[in-house]
Amino acid sequence: MRAGAVFPQLEIGTDPDVIAKYVRTVEELGYDHVVIFDHVLGADPNRPGGWTGAYDHRSAFHEPLVLFGYLAAITTKLKLATAILVLPQRQTALVAKQAAEVDVLTRGRLILGVGIGWNQVEYEALGMSFTNRGRRIEEQIALLREVWTHEVVDFKGRWHRIDRAGINPLPVQRPIPIWMGGGWDRQKRAITEPALRRIAKIADGWFTHLPPNEDGRVGMDAFRHLVREEGRDPAKVPVEGRLPAAKSGPDDWKRGIDAFQRMGMTSVELNTMGAGYRSVDEHLEALRQFRELT
Protein backbone atom coordinates (compact mmCIF):
# COMPACT_ATOMS: atom_id res chain seq x y z
CA MET A 1 0.00 0.00 0.00
CA ARG A 2 1.08 3.58 -0.56
CA ALA A 3 1.84 5.32 2.71
CA GLY A 4 1.06 8.85 3.80
CA ALA A 5 2.10 10.86 6.85
CA VAL A 6 -0.22 13.39 8.49
CA PHE A 7 1.73 16.60 9.07
CA PRO A 8 1.57 17.17 12.86
CA GLN A 9 0.82 20.86 12.61
CA LEU A 10 -0.93 21.12 15.96
CA GLU A 11 2.31 20.06 17.64
CA ILE A 12 5.25 20.76 15.33
CA GLY A 13 5.52 24.49 16.10
CA THR A 14 6.73 27.31 13.88
CA ASP A 15 10.47 26.73 13.45
CA PRO A 16 11.09 26.38 9.68
CA ASP A 17 14.15 24.20 10.35
CA VAL A 18 12.09 21.73 12.38
CA ILE A 19 9.43 21.64 9.66
CA ALA A 20 12.12 21.04 7.03
CA LYS A 21 13.66 18.23 9.08
CA TYR A 22 10.29 16.53 9.44
CA VAL A 23 9.33 16.69 5.77
CA ARG A 24 12.76 15.75 4.43
CA THR A 25 12.86 12.73 6.73
CA VAL A 26 9.36 11.66 5.67
CA GLU A 27 10.57 11.77 2.08
CA GLU A 28 13.76 9.83 2.93
CA LEU A 29 11.65 7.15 4.62
CA GLY A 30 9.94 6.51 1.30
CA TYR A 31 6.51 7.93 2.05
CA ASP A 32 4.37 8.62 -0.99
CA HIS A 33 2.82 11.81 0.37
CA VAL A 34 2.35 14.10 3.34
CA VAL A 35 -1.15 15.21 4.33
CA ILE A 36 -2.16 18.49 5.93
CA PHE A 37 -5.43 19.70 7.47
CA ASP A 38 -6.96 23.15 6.87
CA HIS A 39 -8.39 25.74 9.23
CA VAL A 40 -8.05 29.46 8.65
CA LEU A 41 -9.39 30.67 11.99
CA GLY A 42 -9.99 29.23 15.41
CA ALA A 43 -12.91 30.34 17.57
CA ASP A 44 -12.47 31.59 21.13
CA PRO A 45 -14.36 29.26 23.55
CA ASN A 46 -15.24 32.34 25.64
CA ARG A 47 -17.19 33.95 22.81
CA PRO A 48 -20.91 34.60 23.40
CA GLY A 49 -22.67 31.27 23.05
CA GLY A 50 -19.47 29.37 23.77
CA TRP A 51 -17.69 26.98 21.45
CA THR A 52 -17.71 23.18 21.26
CA GLY A 53 -15.69 22.59 18.10
CA ALA A 54 -12.76 20.19 17.92
CA TYR A 55 -10.31 23.12 17.62
CA ASP A 56 -10.17 26.67 18.94
CA HIS A 57 -7.98 29.77 18.63
CA ARG A 58 -5.16 28.04 20.53
CA SER A 59 -4.90 25.29 17.89
CA ALA A 60 -2.03 25.94 15.47
CA PHE A 61 -2.79 25.41 11.79
CA HIS A 62 -0.23 26.22 9.11
CA GLU A 63 -1.87 27.48 5.92
CA PRO A 64 -1.62 24.51 3.54
CA LEU A 65 -0.92 26.09 0.17
CA VAL A 66 1.57 28.64 1.54
CA LEU A 67 3.35 25.86 3.44
CA PHE A 68 3.42 23.75 0.28
CA GLY A 69 5.27 26.56 -1.49
CA TYR A 70 8.02 26.15 1.12
CA LEU A 71 7.95 22.36 0.98
CA ALA A 72 8.19 22.42 -2.81
CA ALA A 73 11.71 23.84 -2.51
CA ILE A 74 12.99 21.27 -0.02
CA THR A 75 11.53 18.04 -1.43
CA THR A 76 11.86 16.27 -4.77
CA LYS A 77 9.58 13.22 -4.76
CA LEU A 78 7.11 13.58 -1.89
CA LYS A 79 3.57 14.38 -2.97
CA LEU A 80 1.79 17.14 -1.08
CA ALA A 81 -1.85 16.57 -0.21
CA THR A 82 -4.50 18.68 1.49
CA ALA A 83 -6.91 16.49 3.42
CA ILE A 84 -8.85 18.50 3.41
CA LEU A 85 -8.95 22.10 2.17
CA VAL A 86 -12.33 23.64 3.08
CA LEU A 87 -13.13 24.68 -0.46
CA PRO A 88 -16.51 26.46 -0.12
CA GLN A 89 -15.10 29.00 2.34
CA ARG A 90 -12.49 30.03 -0.25
CA GLN A 91 -12.70 31.90 -3.55
CA THR A 92 -12.62 29.30 -6.30
CA ALA A 93 -10.54 31.20 -8.87
CA LEU A 94 -7.96 32.07 -6.21
CA VAL A 95 -7.71 28.42 -5.11
CA ALA A 96 -7.23 27.47 -8.77
CA LYS A 97 -4.38 29.97 -9.07
CA GLN A 98 -2.69 28.98 -5.80
CA ALA A 99 -2.99 25.25 -6.43
CA ALA A 100 -1.63 25.65 -9.97
CA GLU A 101 1.38 27.52 -8.58
CA VAL A 102 2.09 24.76 -6.06
CA ASP A 103 1.79 22.18 -8.82
CA VAL A 104 4.27 24.11 -10.96
CA LEU A 105 6.75 24.50 -8.10
CA THR A 106 6.53 20.80 -7.22
CA ARG A 107 6.64 19.68 -10.87
CA GLY A 108 3.24 18.02 -10.54
CA ARG A 109 3.18 16.65 -6.99
CA LEU A 110 -0.01 18.25 -5.62
CA ILE A 111 -3.12 16.34 -4.56
CA LEU A 112 -5.93 18.74 -3.72
CA GLY A 113 -8.20 17.11 -1.18
CA VAL A 114 -11.31 19.20 -0.55
CA GLY A 115 -14.39 19.11 1.63
CA ILE A 116 -17.20 21.28 2.97
CA GLY A 117 -15.96 21.67 6.55
CA TRP A 118 -18.00 22.23 9.70
CA ASN A 119 -16.81 25.53 11.23
CA GLN A 120 -19.49 28.17 10.71
CA VAL A 121 -17.33 30.83 12.41
CA GLU A 122 -14.72 30.50 9.66
CA TYR A 123 -17.30 30.79 6.91
CA GLU A 124 -18.72 33.97 8.41
CA ALA A 125 -15.27 35.53 8.84
CA LEU A 126 -14.33 34.69 5.25
CA GLY A 127 -17.57 36.11 3.88
CA MET A 128 -18.92 32.82 2.51
CA SER A 129 -22.28 31.12 2.98
CA PHE A 130 -22.27 28.12 5.29
CA THR A 131 -25.75 26.86 4.40
CA ASN A 132 -25.22 26.12 0.69
CA ARG A 133 -21.66 24.79 0.91
CA GLY A 134 -22.62 21.25 -0.14
CA ARG A 135 -24.19 22.43 -3.38
CA ARG A 136 -21.52 25.00 -4.14
CA ILE A 137 -18.58 22.62 -3.86
CA GLU A 138 -19.79 20.66 -6.89
CA GLU A 139 -19.77 23.79 -9.03
CA GLN A 140 -16.41 24.78 -7.56
CA ILE A 141 -14.83 21.47 -8.56
CA ALA A 142 -16.21 21.73 -12.08
CA LEU A 143 -14.79 25.25 -12.37
CA LEU A 144 -11.37 24.25 -11.00
CA ARG A 145 -11.05 21.57 -13.66
CA GLU A 146 -12.02 24.04 -16.38
CA VAL A 147 -9.52 26.65 -15.23
CA TRP A 148 -6.69 24.11 -14.91
CA THR A 149 -7.16 22.68 -18.41
CA HIS A 150 -7.98 25.72 -20.58
CA GLU A 151 -6.05 28.91 -21.23
CA VAL A 152 -9.29 30.86 -21.52
CA VAL A 153 -12.48 29.95 -19.67
CA ASP A 154 -16.04 31.11 -20.30
CA PHE A 155 -17.99 29.76 -17.32
CA LYS A 156 -21.40 30.77 -16.02
CA GLY A 157 -22.76 28.81 -13.09
CA ARG A 158 -25.14 29.47 -10.25
CA TRP A 159 -22.43 31.00 -8.05
CA HIS A 160 -19.52 31.64 -10.41
CA ARG A 161 -18.85 33.67 -13.53
CA ILE A 162 -15.58 33.77 -15.45
CA ASP A 163 -15.94 35.86 -18.59
CA ARG A 164 -13.29 34.65 -21.04
CA ALA A 165 -10.31 34.71 -18.73
CA GLY A 166 -7.74 32.25 -17.43
CA ILE A 167 -4.79 31.66 -15.15
CA ASN A 168 -1.17 31.63 -16.24
CA PRO A 169 0.82 29.51 -15.55
CA LEU A 170 -1.36 26.46 -15.87
CA PRO A 171 -0.52 23.50 -13.61
CA VAL A 172 1.71 20.62 -14.65
CA GLN A 173 -1.13 18.18 -13.98
CA ARG A 174 -4.11 19.03 -16.15
CA PRO A 175 -6.22 18.76 -14.17
CA ILE A 176 -4.74 18.49 -10.68
CA PRO A 177 -6.32 15.43 -8.99
CA ILE A 178 -9.15 16.42 -6.67
CA TRP A 179 -9.86 14.06 -3.82
CA MET A 180 -12.63 14.58 -1.30
CA GLY A 181 -13.11 14.00 2.40
CA GLY A 182 -16.24 13.28 4.39
CA GLY A 183 -18.95 10.69 3.82
CA TRP A 184 -18.57 8.98 7.19
CA ASP A 185 -20.06 10.04 10.52
CA ARG A 186 -17.64 8.82 13.17
CA GLN A 187 -20.06 9.42 16.03
CA LYS A 188 -22.96 7.56 14.41
CA ARG A 189 -20.59 5.01 12.81
CA ALA A 190 -22.50 5.29 9.57
CA ILE A 191 -22.15 6.76 6.09
CA THR A 192 -23.61 10.16 5.28
CA GLU A 193 -25.15 9.30 1.93
CA PRO A 194 -25.46 12.77 0.33
CA ALA A 195 -21.77 13.45 0.92
CA LEU A 196 -20.71 9.94 -0.06
CA ARG A 197 -22.74 10.09 -3.27
CA ARG A 198 -21.09 13.42 -4.12
CA ILE A 199 -17.67 11.85 -3.63
CA ALA A 200 -18.64 8.83 -5.73
CA LYS A 201 -19.85 11.13 -8.48
CA ILE A 202 -17.07 13.70 -8.88
CA ALA A 203 -13.97 12.92 -6.79
CA ASP A 204 -10.71 11.52 -8.14
CA GLY A 205 -10.15 9.80 -4.79
CA TRP A 206 -11.49 9.58 -1.24
CA PHE A 207 -9.72 10.54 2.00
CA THR A 208 -11.86 8.55 4.39
CA HIS A 209 -12.27 8.17 8.14
CA LEU A 210 -13.62 4.64 7.80
CA PRO A 211 -12.50 2.42 10.70
CA PRO A 212 -10.54 -0.78 10.03
CA ASN A 213 -13.40 -3.07 11.09
CA GLU A 214 -16.78 -4.38 9.95
CA ASP A 215 -18.29 -0.89 9.99
CA GLY A 216 -15.56 0.21 7.63
CA ARG A 217 -16.13 -2.73 5.32
CA VAL A 218 -19.82 -1.87 5.10
CA GLY A 219 -18.88 1.72 4.33
CA MET A 220 -16.52 0.65 1.55
CA ASP A 221 -19.15 -1.59 0.04
CA ALA A 222 -21.63 1.28 0.08
CA PHE A 223 -19.09 3.55 -1.58
CA ARG A 224 -18.33 1.07 -4.34
CA HIS A 225 -22.05 0.65 -4.96
CA LEU A 226 -22.52 4.42 -5.32
CA VAL A 227 -19.50 4.67 -7.64
CA ARG A 228 -21.03 2.02 -9.89
CA GLU A 229 -24.38 3.82 -9.84
CA GLU A 230 -22.56 6.89 -11.16
CA GLY A 231 -21.26 4.84 -14.07
CA ARG A 232 -17.68 4.74 -12.81
CA ASP A 233 -15.26 1.89 -12.10
CA PRO A 234 -14.55 1.58 -8.35
CA ALA A 235 -11.11 0.18 -9.17
CA LYS A 236 -10.22 3.58 -10.66
CA VAL A 237 -11.25 5.61 -7.59
CA PRO A 238 -8.50 5.25 -4.95
CA VAL A 239 -9.36 5.32 -1.25
CA GLU A 240 -7.05 6.21 1.64
CA GLY A 241 -7.55 5.10 5.23
CA ARG A 242 -6.23 6.89 8.30
CA LEU A 243 -4.83 5.29 11.43
CA PRO A 244 -4.10 7.13 14.71
CA ALA A 245 -0.84 6.74 16.57
CA ALA A 246 -2.61 7.77 19.78
CA LYS A 247 -3.21 4.91 22.22
CA SER A 248 -1.85 2.38 19.74
CA GLY A 249 1.39 0.89 18.47
CA PRO A 250 2.94 -1.14 15.64
CA ASP A 251 0.81 -4.23 16.31
CA ASP A 252 -2.37 -2.15 16.09
CA TRP A 253 -1.11 -0.39 12.99
CA LYS A 254 -0.36 -3.70 11.29
CA ARG A 255 -3.84 -4.98 12.01
CA GLY A 256 -5.30 -1.74 10.67
CA ILE A 257 -3.20 -1.86 7.50
CA ASP A 258 -4.20 -5.47 6.87
CA ALA A 259 -7.87 -4.63 7.43
CA PHE A 260 -7.72 -1.70 5.02
CA GLN A 261 -6.05 -3.90 2.41
CA ARG A 262 -8.81 -6.49 2.72
CA MET A 263 -11.37 -3.72 2.33
CA GLY A 264 -9.74 -2.68 -0.94
CA MET A 265 -8.13 0.59 0.09
CA THR A 266 -5.17 1.70 -1.98
CA SER A 267 -3.24 3.73 0.61
CA VAL A 268 -3.01 4.36 4.33
CA GLU A 269 -1.76 7.26 6.44
CA LEU A 270 -0.60 7.59 10.03
CA ASN A 271 -1.70 10.52 12.18
CA THR A 272 0.90 11.01 14.92
CA MET A 273 -0.86 13.95 16.57
CA GLY A 274 -2.38 13.37 19.99
CA ALA A 275 -0.04 10.46 20.78
CA GLY A 276 1.91 12.36 23.43
CA TYR A 277 5.09 12.71 21.39
CA ARG A 278 7.23 15.49 22.82
CA SER A 279 9.54 16.18 19.88
CA VAL A 280 9.64 15.94 16.12
CA ASP A 281 12.06 13.03 16.52
CA GLU A 282 9.40 11.01 18.33
CA HIS A 283 6.90 11.72 15.53
CA LEU A 284 9.49 10.58 13.00
CA GLU A 285 10.36 7.44 14.95
CA ALA A 286 6.70 6.42 14.86
CA LEU A 287 6.67 7.06 11.12
CA ARG A 288 9.80 4.92 10.69
CA GLN A 289 8.08 2.02 12.42
CA PHE A 290 4.88 2.53 10.44
CA ARG A 291 6.73 2.66 7.11
CA GLU A 292 8.28 -0.74 7.80
CA LEU A 293 4.77 -2.19 8.01
CA THR A 294 3.60 -0.86 4.67
Side-chain angles (χ1 to χ4, degrees):
M1 296 182 80
R2 290 190 300 273
V6 176
F7 182 74
Q9 57 183 13
L10 292 171
E11 301 168 9
I12 199 169
T14 57
D15 186 337
D17 292 335
V18 173
I19 292 171
K21 176 182 179 179
Y22 173 88
V23 175
R24 284 172 171 151
T25 304
V26 168
E27 183 172 66
E28 290 168 2
L29 290 171
Y31 275 82
D32 179 75
H33 55 280
V34 65
V35 168
I36 191 168
F37 304 165
D38 171 41
H39 279 293
V40 177
L41 295 135
D44 183 350
N46 295 319
R47 63 196 296 272
W51 177 250
T52 58
Y55 309 106
D56 61 28
H57 70 288
R58 295 163 295 190
S59 306
F61 280 88
H62 290 274
E63 203 292 314
L65 297 176
V66 174
L67 177 64
F68 282 175
Y70 174 59
L71 302 187
I74 60 175
T75 59
T76 58
K77 298 178 292 183
L78 191 70
K79 295 175 186 174
L80 308 179
T82 57
I84 50 84
L85 193 81
V86 186
L87 186 58
Q89 70 182 17
R90 294 171 177 254
Q91 296 171 308
T92 312
L94 183 56
V95 171
K97 179 74 172 181
Q98 292 171 320
E101 185 70 16
V102 171
D103 202 57
V104 167
L105 294 175
T106 59
R107 295 182 172 88
R109 290 186 281 129
L110 177 63
I111 299 171
L112 192 71
V114 301
I116 63 173
W118 51 267
N119 190 336
Q120 190 168 355
V121 172
E122 282 185 297
Y123 272 83
E124 180 181 18
L126 293 167
M128 296 295 179
S129 171
F130 185 77
T131 57
N132 64 15
R133 65 196 193 284
R135 288 169 290 162
R136 270 193 302 118
I137 196 171
E138 296 190 24
E139 184 171 299
Q140 287 184 289
I141 289 172
L143 179 55
L144 287 173
R145 288 170 172 154
E146 284 290 307
V147 172
W148 288 333
T149 54
H150 297 88
E151 292 183 358
V152 177
V153 173
D154 188 8
F155 185 98
K156 187 174 183 179
R158 183 173 178 182
W159 293 283
H160 299 84
R161 174 69 174 128
I162 294 182
D163 187 0
R164 286 149 293 200
I167 63 171
N168 192 355
L170 290 169
V172 173
Q173 302 177 96
R174 300 185 189 178
I176 295 167
I178 297 177
W179 289 42
M180 297 188 78
W184 176 260
D185 189 319
R186 283 177 285 183
Q187 292 184 333
K188 296 180 179 178
R189 296 167 56 189
I191 63 168
T192 52
E193 185 165 339
L196 196 61
R197 184 173 291 278
R198 183 185 304 121
I199 296 165
K201 179 180 179 181
I202 63 175
D204 295 316
W206 183 23
F207 286 116
T208 177
H209 290 288
L210 290 176
N213 56 27
E214 181 62 19
D215 289 337
R217 187 194 64 77
V218 171
M220 276 293 289
D221 288 345
F223 178 65
R224 291 193 188 96
H225 176 73
L226 291 173
V227 171
R228 292 189 189 97
E229 283 194 347
E230 295 297 333
R232 305 176 69 193
D233 182 357
K236 296 181 179 179
V237 184
V239 178
E240 177 154 309
R242 177 178 295 166
L243 294 173
K247 299 180 181 179
S248 65
D251 291 342
D252 305 293
W253 305 340
K254 179 58 176 173
R255 284 191 292 270
I257 292 167
D258 291 344
F260 283 155
Q261 285 182 315
R262 289 193 297 270
M263 290 159 56
M265 291 191 184
T266 52
S267 54
V268 60
E269 63 191 44
L270 183 69
N271 180 10
T272 59
M273 287 186 287
Y277 301 145
R278 293 168 293 180
S279 69
V280 69
D281 290 330
E282 292 185 358
H283 286 272
L284 292 170
E285 178 56 31
L287 290 171
R288 285 190 182 92
Q289 295 179 51
F290 187 78
R291 184 69 185 96
E292 292 174 358
L293 303 173
T294 58

